[in-house]
Amino acid sequence: MTSPKTKTTQTMKPATAAKKLGVLLSATPAEFQEGVVSRDELNELQSKPPTWLADLRRNGPHPKQVVAAKLGVSISGLVRGGIDAPLTTAEIEALKVENPAWLERERSLQAEARKEALRVKQG
C-alpha cells in the first residue's frame, strides 16, 4: 500500500510574482518583497488586486516589458531609444505625445516584425 501524497503548496519568489503581475518589484510593499507568494495568493492578487497593486498597474513605475508594450515597441527598441529605467504612466504618455524620432522608428520596426511573424505563421 502506498501512503496518500500530501499536497504541497507551490510558491514563488517575490520577483517572479511581480513579473507575473506586471509590476516593478522595487515598487511593491516591503511585506510583498520579503515573503514568498503561493499560487493561490497570486491568483487572489490577480482576481482581486489590493489598492497598492491597482495603483502600481495604473500609475507605475512600470517594468520594461510593460513600458515597451504601452509604447508599442520591443524591449530592445527601448534600449536603442535610451530608455533603461522604469517609467511611470505619465512619463509614457508624455513620450507618446512628444513622439521622438526613435519611437517612430521603433514602432515601425515592431509593426514590420509583427507582419513578418504573421506571414510566416500563415505559411
Side-chain angles (χ1 to χ4, degrees):
M1 257 199 194
T2 59
S3 60
K5 294 193 181 218
T6 56
K7 185 175 182 188
T8 57
T9 303
Q10 284 185 324
T11 59
M12 61 193 81
K13 293 178 183 176
T16 304
K19 188 171 184 172
K20 289 180 181 283
L21 292 169
V23 296
L24 196 63
L25 177 62
S26 61
T28 62
E31 58 271 10
F32 181 86
Q33 293 179 36
E34 295 163 2
V36 293
V37 179
S38 72
R39 175 68 59 196
D40 291 340
E41 289 169 331
L42 179 70
N43 291 341
E44 181 76 12
L45 286 169
Q46 288 174 324
S47 64
K48 298 177 194 148
T51 305
W52 65 264
L53 180 55
D55 288 345
L56 267 180
R57 286 178 166 169
R58 185 174 32 265
N59 303 317
H62 302 287
K64 60 187 168 193
Q65 65 269 22
V66 174
V67 173
K70 286 180 178 271
L71 289 174
V73 300
S74 68
I75 292 173
S76 300
L78 282 180
V79 174
R80 287 190 293 269
I83 306 294
D84 56 359
L87 298 179
T88 63
T89 300
E91 292 168 326
I92 292 168
E93 293 305 316
L95 261 176
K96 286 179 178 178
V97 169
E98 182 186 327
N99 200 23
W102 72 264
L103 181 56
E104 253 184 74
R105 185 176 57 253
E106 292 300 332
R107 282 181 167 169
S108 173
L109 288 171
Q110 187 73 354
E112 288 301 316
R114 285 189 181 123
K115 280 185 200 172
E116 179 62 14
L118 183 60
R119 186 190 66 77
V120 168
K121 185 178 179 182
Q122 291 176 340

